[in-house]
Amino acid sequence: MEKKYKIPIGPVHVGLKEPITAWLDLEGEKIVGATVRPGAIHRGIEYMARDRNPIQVIYLSERICGICSFSHIMAFVRAVEDAATIPVPPRAQYIRTLVLELERLHSHMLWAGVACYTIGFDSAFHLGMVLREKVMDVLEALSGNRVNYGVGTVGGVRWDITPAVAKSVKDMLRYYRREFSPFYDVVTGDPIALARMRNVGVLTYEEAVRHTAVGPTARASGVRCDLRKTSPYEAYGDFSVEAIVPQDFYGKAYGDVFDRFLVRVHEVYQSLEIIDHVMEGLPEGEILWEKNLNKVLAYTKKAEGTGIASIEAPRGDDTHVVHLAAGDENVTWWKVRAPTYANAVSWPLMFRNNELADAPLIINSIDPCISCMERMLITDASGEKSVVTRTELLDKCREKTRRLMGK
Amino acid sequence: MKLEKYLEILPKSLWVTTCNSGSCNGCDIEIVATISPRYDIERLGMKLVGTPRHADVLVVTGPVTKYMTERLRRIYEQVPDPKVVIAVGNCGASGDVFYKSYNLDGPIDRIIPVDVYVHGCPPRPEAIIEGVAKAVLKLERLRKDLVKASVEGA
Ligand code: SF4
């Protein structure tokens, strides 16, 4: 029988995304089991919120995750609006939809670039990052910030679409319609990229449903789920948004990393469509329910109730639940369920029967990322653990060389 | 070979490694943006490397959660001397929005010595590049001191 090894991955990696720890059980190069330990960056955000009023919590919720920051703001603000029954003007709803889609664009492009980087396709990574800068320009034109834009607030949005912003959005749409397909062709037409991603990290339809995968991860396994269609919020009810699943394009859903790539790329095209509709249908009018923040706070202080909001963030369903108590200025309690919680459950399934070299790609494929570093831990078949020191390793290397030389 | 000889052949180009100690990712994607073609720090000879053992500069983001404290310290120790630490982002410098959290040991300068702070939440890529440029100056100085110390010691 082959010897089993246990390899720890993480928590710290090259430079992309959050720390998380995983232990992989290996038989030779093949992964036979995996354990994931999240929680390395637990900051107790929901606890901190209990000392802050809803307006302050907006900026806290933005910093749950810097990539889907607006999705978190949106889910939180909608939950507060639900709890306190605050109406939102139609123009604000359209602007929110616009920013949500811009965020999806930059998040998916970042992911596509990083996926290329993980398989060692560096030129495509740089190409993806060049493309991504264009949508960052639009976000900067709208809000003045590149990340954490602070656009949403209770009862509306803080920045309006001026003619200059509208022009930069149009420029962006034209640019992407022209420049995005070469990137797509370069990656999907590359036989090595195909070989590295096809049939790697497979998650079948049944498994995706059973393990509650969400967002692009579930859609790549062929599950038709998209909150923008099934429970439209903001302006999504005004346009038709179809869930993007690989079987519609290629006849079959493999549920592998390549399908996750395809789904995200097609969602980029879909987002461009939606942004087009938003810009056409943008209604005139107010962008805020109430300009005076003190009045908003006085209103939420009087409100009593629990609000819930679910939105389709770039990685899947993001659900926030907020409770406001009458007479209490602060948020009484707040619960966040981010999409990665749901998707990380499927990791051990995706790892099965893949090679160690594919582990970073698989971890990355649901959209966070980590990789291997430092020390090594060996598990005997008996389950006893021991850390291999440097001298032992050296001896082992020498032993192997001697064996190879036949001595 | 004598110590100063090693120091002479140390390359001037900076190799940078990063450690996310509990950040919101905002700073991390801006760091990634600095290696993208628009900001392109590689033209200045800097590059991101995968292991602290190859690095001259350690870039740390985030307010340092309890779980990451030990790991951050270990990474810091793995970076060979002379080394410079850059704290990117407000939350690494002061805790920022994460003040009053029960799970933080940070900010970063409570765990390891920080040489350059880059402020902003997140700072723009230009600001990060400026921070690294400041680190170059500091590193030069450290290197000179080390050479001097080794000559005097010899
Ligand atoms: S400084 Fe701001 S953007 Fe950077 S990691 Fe901290 S909270 Fe996120």
Side-chain angles (χ1 to χ4, degrees):
Chain A
M1 200 193 95
E2 274 189 89
K3 204 169 173 184
K4 263 198 190 172
Y5 291 91
K6 206 176 185 71
I7 303 274
I9 293 191
V12 181
H13 165 52
V14 190
L16 311 170
K17 318 265 177 85
E18 308 107 306
I20 189 167
T21 319
W23 288 274
L24 302 181
D25 297 320
L26 299 184
E27 242 165 43
E29 280 279 302
K30 216 171 77 199
I31 304 173
V32 290
T35 321
V36 178
R37 187 229 185 262
I41 55 172
H42 173 81
R43 290 154 295 180
I45 286 190
E46 285 134 321
Y47 171 81
M48 285 182 256
R50 299 172 62 179
D51 280 349
R52 305 181 192 190
N53 67 39
I55 298 289
Q56 288 171 322
V57 175
I58 292 175
Y59 303 98
L60 185 60
S61 73
E62 186 164 42
R63 282 155 185 82
I64 291 174
C65 165
I67 298 178
C68 35
S69 54
F70 192 67
S71 305
H72 282 294
I73 288 200
M74 246 15 277
F76 171 73
V77 162
R78 284 178 57 76
V80 171
E81 284 159 1
D82 185 23
T85 30
I86 294 173
V88 181
R91 188 175 171 86
Q93 290 189 328
Y94 268 71
I95 297 177
R96 285 176 176 189
T97 311
L98 172 75
V99 183
L100 280 172
E101 290 308 317
L102 289 175
E103 184 163 274
R104 195 180 316 278
L105 279 180
H106 93 68
S107 171
H108 280 2
M109 275 179 216
L110 179 72
W111 181 83
V114 170
C116 294
Y117 175 81
T118 320
I119 60 171
F121 199 170
D122 263 15
S123 41
F125 163 68
H126 287 299
L127 197 55
M129 292 303 285
V130 173
L131 291 173
R132 178 170 173 269
E133 285 299 323
K134 193 78 187 171
V135 51
M136 302 309 273
D137 285 347
V138 175
L139 286 169
E140 201 179 335
L142 175 67
S143 70
N145 293 333
R146 289 162 49 87
V147 182
N148 294 349
Y149 356 93
V151 174
T153 186
V154 175
V157 289
R158 292 175 54 222
W159 302 105
D160 201 355
I161 297 188
T162 58
V165 176
K167 182 170 170 297
S168 75
V169 173
K170 289 229 173 62
D171 278 354
M172 178 199 79
L173 289 175
R174 218 174 308 122
Y175 176 82
Y176 281 140
R177 296 230 156 90
R178 198 177 61 232
E179 302 286 339
F180 196 70
S181 57
F183 170 71
Y184 174 66
D185 294 344
V186 158
V187 180
T188 52
D190 188 271
I192 296 172
L194 186 69
R196 282 297 308 271
M197 298 201 275
R198 191 46 103 196
N199 288 324
V200 170
V202 174
L203 187 72
T204 63
Y205 182 97
E206 288 74 28
E207 285 163 350
V209 173
R210 187 148 27 92
H211 290 80
T212 65
V214 290
T217 311
R219 290 198 281 278
S221 299
V223 186
R224 266 177 221 280
C225 61
D226 193 327
L227 286 180
R228 291 175 295 171
K229 177 166 175 68
T230 48
S231 70
Y233 47 92
E234 305 303 344
Y236 287 113
D238 298 357
F239 342 109
S240 73
V241 183
E242 289 300 327
I244 296 213
V245 281
Q247 63 261 40
D248 288 355
F249 294 88
Y250 304 94
K252 179 172 177 220
Y254 291 82
D256 54 9
V257 177
F258 196 74
D259 274 353
R260 280 170 220 140
F261 187 86
L262 286 180
V263 164
R264 289 197 172 91
V265 167
H266 283 281
E267 284 186 16
V268 166
Y269 287 117
Q270 186 187 35
S271 291
L272 295 179
E273 287 293 310
I274 297 175
I275 292 175
D276 233 356
H277 290 306
V278 168
M279 295 309 286
E280 270 167 31
L282 193 66
E284 292 298 322
E286 287 296 312
I287 57 164
L288 269 178
W289 164 72
E290 171 57 66
K291 280 210 186 65
N292 188 336
L293 281 187
N294 291 331
K295 282 194 192 147
V296 175
L297 283 178
Y299 188 81
T300 53
K301 189 175 174 185
K302 273 185 268 156
E304 165 89 46
T306 308
I308 176 163
S310 260
I311 67 161
E312 183 77 26
R315 292 112 192 251
D317 317 3
D318 183 14
T319 305
H320 285 217
V321 187
V322 172
H323 185 80
L324 300 175
D328 188 357
E329 195 181 332
N330 299 333
V331 172
T332 316
W333 54 259
W334 172 38
K335 171 77 194 127
V336 181
R337 183 186 180 272
T340 303
Y341 286 133
N343 285 335
V345 180
S346 332
W347 265 339
L349 293 176
M350 293 179 192
F351 278 132
R352 278 161 325 181
N353 299 327
N354 281 289
E355 304 215 329
L356 177 61
D358 291 327
L361 181 63
I362 296 170
I363 292 175
N364 212 339
S365 73
I366 72 159
D367 207 355
C369 149
I370 51 157
S371 188
C372 346
M373 203 183 90
E374 11 165 66
R375 73 231 181 271
M376 186 164 102
L377 197 69
I378 289 195
T379 322
D380 296 315
S382 65
E384 254 188 79
K385 283 182 189 169
S386 68
V387 175
V388 183
T389 64
R390 208 181 59 98
T391 20
E392 273 175 304
L393 264 182
L394 212 60
D395 288 344
K396 282 199 174 158
C397 295
R398 292 206 182 109
E399 197 185 293
K400 183 172 150 253
T401 323
R402 248 177 271 132
R403 210 170 51 229
L404 287 178
M405 287 162 64
K407 282 181 189 167
Chain B
M1 203 156 65
K2 272 212 187 117
L3 183 62
E4 65 254 42
K5 279 275 181 282
Y6 278 118
L7 291 169
E8 265 170 31
I9 52 171
L10 237 184
K12 283 219 176 136
S13 306
L14 287 195
W15 284 12
V16 183
T17 189
T18 64
C19 171
N20 172 338
S21 70
S23 83
C24 81
N25 254 341
C27 288
D28 296 87
I29 43 177
E30 290 298 64
I31 292 170
V32 175
T34 58
I35 57 169
S36 76
R38 182 180 289 182
Y39 300 100
D40 195 14
I41 55 166
E42 281 183 22
R43 80 202 135 106
L44 307 173
M46 302 164 191
K47 92 175 192 186
L48 280 186
V49 290
T51 151
R53 292 179 203 275
H54 296 166
D56 306 302
V57 177
L58 173 63
V59 172
V60 189
T61 61
V64 196
T65 60
K66 291 216 159 82
Y67 182 82
M68 293 302 292
T69 312
E70 241 343 278
R71 276 125 189 122
L72 180 61
R73 224 173 256 142
R74 209 148 67 199
I75 289 171
Y76 174 75
E77 276 155 18
Q78 284 176 2
V79 181
D81 275 326
K83 59 190 159 196
V84 173
V85 177
I86 306 180
V88 170
N90 282 350
C91 69
S94 66
D96 197 21
V97 283
F98 306 124
Y99 75 97
K100 273 195 191 169
S101 166
Y102 55 80
N103 200 32
L104 300 186
D105 278 345
I108 298 165
D109 48 14
R110 280 204 204 143
I111 319 287
I112 55 173
V114 177
D115 301 295
V116 180
Y117 296 88
V118 180
H119 286 286
C121 185
R124 296 183 54 87
E126 291 94 330
I128 298 178
I129 295 175
E130 195 199 353
V132 183
K134 289 215 171 108
V136 177
L137 300 178
K138 171 100 191 200
L139 206 55
E140 290 287 303
R141 215 161 50 234
L142 283 179
R143 192 146 64 205
K144 279 206 195 95
D145 289 352
L146 263 183
V147 174
K148 215 164 104 211
S150 74
V151 171
E152 277 165 7

